[in-house]
Amino acid sequence: MSVRHRTSARAPARNGAPTSARDRAPARDRAPARDRAPARVRPLRHPGWTPWLYLAPALVVLAGLLVYPVYQLGLISVLEYTQAQVSGGEPTSFQGLANYAELLGDAQFWDVLLATVVFAGCCVLGTVAVGCGLAVLLTRIRALPRLLLMLAALGAWATPAITGSTVWVFLFDPDFGPVNRMLGLGDHSWTYGRYSAFTLVLLEVVWCSFPLVMVVTYAGIRAVPGEVLEAAALDGAGVWRTWRSVLAPMLRPVLIVVTIQSVIWDFKVFTQIYVMTDGGGIAGQNLVLNVYAYQKAFASAEYSLGSAIGVVMLLILLAVTLVYLKLLRRNGEEI
C-alpha cells in the first residue's frame, strides 16, 4: 500500500469546501455571463391590423368631426350656393374654380390676407416670447409665488374666448374702463383706430394663449439635467445666454410643437376680432380671414365664397406646417 493517500473524486479546496467539475474547468469555460454571446432573440411578428383596430374608434370620430366637414367645405366652394339655392328657389350648379377666381381677383381679399399674416405672426411671437419668459421665471422663484403664477396663468387659459374678450373691452372702454383712467387718456377709444384695435386684440390673444406655452416649456426645462445648468452657471452664463445657448437647443422639439399650434390658432382667430372690434372694425379695417369668410358666407349669403376662403385658409396652414417640418428635417432635427 502506497504511503500516499488516494485522492477522492472531489478533493477538498483550500478553504475546506469541496470543489466541483465546474471549479476545475478552465478559466475560459468559466467566463462571466455578461461576456457570453447573447441569446438569439426571436423576431416579433408583424402587427398587421392590430394597431388600426385600437385606433378605429378615434378615427371614426375624427372622420365625423373633421373629414366630412372639410369635404363639404370643398364641395360648396365649387358650387353656386347662395340664399336662392338654400331656399330651393334655384337649382345648384357646378362652377368649378370660378369662385376661387372671383376671390383671388378681389383686392379686399389680398388686403385681409396680408393683415391676417402680419397679425398672426405678431401674436405667435408675443405668445411664445411671454410663455418662454415666464417658464424661465418659474424655475427661479420660490414655491408659493410659482404656485400663484401658475394658478393665474391657468385661470387665463381656462377663460372662454368670448368672456375674455368682453372683459378686455370693458377694461379699455373709453367711458368706464379703468385703463384710460390710470393712464390719463380720457375718452380715448382703443377700437377706433386700425392699429390700436389690432394691438388691443393682440394683447388679449397673447393673454389667453401664453399659459400653454409656459406650462409645456416649464415641463421641458424641468426635464433638463441639473448638471447642464450648473455647468452653464459655472461658465458665467447669464439667464439670456443660458436660454439661448443651452435651453433653447435642447427644447427645440417642444418649441416646434407650441409654435405650430400657435400659428394654427392665431391664424384662424375669430372670436376676439369679432367681439372686440364689433365685427371687423370701422369699414372692415380690422378684418382677418376668418371674420371675412363669416361676413361673405352669412352676412352676404355668398356661401360659396365663404367656403372658398375656408379652403384657402386650410391650404395656407397645411403649407406653412409642411414647409416648417421639411426645413427642420433638413437640419437633422428630431420631432
Side-chain angles (χ1 to χ4, degrees), residues 25-323:
R28 57 183 179 85
D29 295 336
R30 291 185 283 111
R34 63 176 180 271
D35 295 337
R36 298 176 183 174
R40 187 174 182 180
V41 179
R42 186 177 182 181
L44 296 176
R45 294 182 178 180
H46 193 273
W49 291 95
T50 303
W52 294 104
L53 293 177
Y54 286 106
L55 293 174
L59 293 178
V60 171
V61 174
L62 289 177
L65 297 178
L66 182 63
V67 177
Y68 182 73
V70 171
Y71 163 75
Q72 286 292 332
L73 186 71
L75 178 62
I76 295 176
S77 68
V78 296
L79 301 175
E80 183 183 0
Y81 202 74
T82 60
Q83 188 62 38
Q85 283 75 28
V86 173
S87 60
E90 295 181 7
T92 302
S93 60
F94 180 75
Q95 297 293 317
L97 300 178
N99 293 320
Y100 293 95
E102 181 181 353
L103 181 65
L104 297 178
D106 187 4
Q108 187 182 15
F109 167 75
W110 294 104
D111 293 337
V112 174
L113 177 60
L114 178 61
T116 304
V117 171
V118 175
F119 175 74
C122 294
C123 289
V124 171
L125 291 177
T127 301
V128 175
V130 173
C132 293
L134 291 179
V136 175
L137 179 63
L138 287 175
T139 63
R140 295 179 172 270
I141 57 179
R142 296 182 180 274
L144 182 58
R146 184 188 307 123
L147 177 62
L148 296 177
L149 180 56
M150 291 283 286
L151 292 177
L154 293 178
W157 190 15
T159 303
I162 189 170
T163 304
S165 301
T166 305
V167 171
W168 275 73
V169 169
F170 169 75
L171 292 176
F172 289 85
D173 185 83
D175 298 323
F176 307 103
V179 175
N180 282 359
R181 295 182 182 181
M182 294 176 58
L183 300 178
L185 297 178
D187 58 351
H188 173 72
S189 177
W190 291 84
T191 58
Y192 182 79
R194 182 184 188 187
Y195 297 106
S196 60
F198 268 129
T199 302
L200 182 61
V201 178
L202 184 147
L203 294 176
E204 200 278 337
V205 171
V206 172
W207 173 77
C208 67
S209 302
F210 83 86
L212 175 64
V213 180
M214 183 191 73
V215 171
V216 174
T217 307
Y218 175 70
I221 294 176
R222 298 296 296 178
V224 174
E227 296 81 2
V228 176
L229 300 179
E230 292 178 1
L234 292 176
D235 290 339
V239 177
W240 169 246
R241 184 61 183 274
T242 302
W243 168 260
R244 183 170 61 88
S245 302
V246 179
L247 291 177
M250 299 183 69
L251 298 177
R252 189 165 298 176
V254 175
L255 297 178
I256 290 170
V257 173
V258 297
T259 300
I260 293 177
Q261 288 181 342
S262 298
V263 169
I264 295 174
W265 291 344
D266 297 339
F267 193 82
K268 59 184 185 65
V269 165
F270 174 83
T271 304
Q272 291 87 343
I273 289 286
Y274 193 84
V275 172
M276 301 179 70
T277 64
D278 196 15
I282 300 174
Q285 64 181 1
N286 296 113
L287 284 176
V288 292
L289 281 180
N290 232 350
V291 181
Y292 184 56
Y294 175 83
Q295 288 190 352
K296 285 292 184 182
F298 298 101
S300 302
E302 297 179 358
Y303 303 104
S304 300
L305 287 178
S307 300
I309 297 172
V311 172
V312 170
M313 290 180 59
L314 178 62
L315 294 177
I316 291 175
L317 290 176
L318 286 177
V320 170
T321 304
L322 292 177
V323 169

